[in-house]
Amino acid sequence: VQLQASGGGLAQPGGSLRLSCAALGSIFSINTMSWYRQAPGKQRELAAMISSRGTINYLDSVKGRFTASRDNAKNTVHLQMNSLKPEDTAVYYCNARVVVRETYTGGDYWGQGTLVTVSS
């Protein structure tokens, strides 16, 4: 199982960016799909999490600005980031809790990380 993330880059304050992540491989099911972020010198934090039923939880500081969405048929998760602030600058990682098809064992899988820089 692999998670492939895309998107990110440079945005001005107030701008928008969209992140996408696809879970690939022998997947039986996916529980949660999430976006974490890690700013320089800080611990990784959960930005948004979507359950398999579509329940979404957001980090307080991104509520009202970020929108997470998920396509269960395609095993993808997206993060639309609007009204970006310099403090949103971080490496963003997608995460999925996957049950592997052959073994029916579950585990946490991570994407490679994509850099989001918000600066004028």
Side-chain angles (χ1 to χ4, degrees), residues 5-105:
S6 61
L10 175 64
Q12 292 186 341
S16 298
L17 287 172
R18 180 178 173 85
L19 306 181
S20 296
C21 179
L24 306 173
S26 186
I27 296 170
F28 175 73
S29 65
I30 300 178
N31 188 355
T32 58
M33 299 189 81
S34 305
W35 288 98
Y36 286 76
R37 68 184 187 181
Q38 187 166 18
K42 295 187 177 181
Q43 291 187 334
R44 189 174 296 188
E45 61 182 0
L46 176 63
M49 174 181 286
I50 309 179
S51 74
S52 58
R53 296 187 177 185
T55 301
I56 307 175
N57 291 297
Y58 293 102
L59 179 68
D60 283 347
S61 61
V62 308
K63 286 180 180 177
R65 301 187 298 119
F66 289 12
T67 302
S69 60
R70 174 175 174 171
D71 185 334
N72 289 333
K74 297 181 179 179
N75 291 333
T76 57
V77 63
H78 307 280
L79 187 66
Q80 178 66 41
M81 304 182 292
N82 298 329
S83 301
L84 283 164
K85 302 177 180 180
E87 50 264 42
D88 295 319
T89 295
V91 177
Y92 284 71
Y93 299 89
C94 59
N95 168 275
R97 294 188 173 176
V98 176
V99 176
V100 176
R101 184 175 299 279
E102 287 85 3
T103 61
Y104 297 101
T105 56

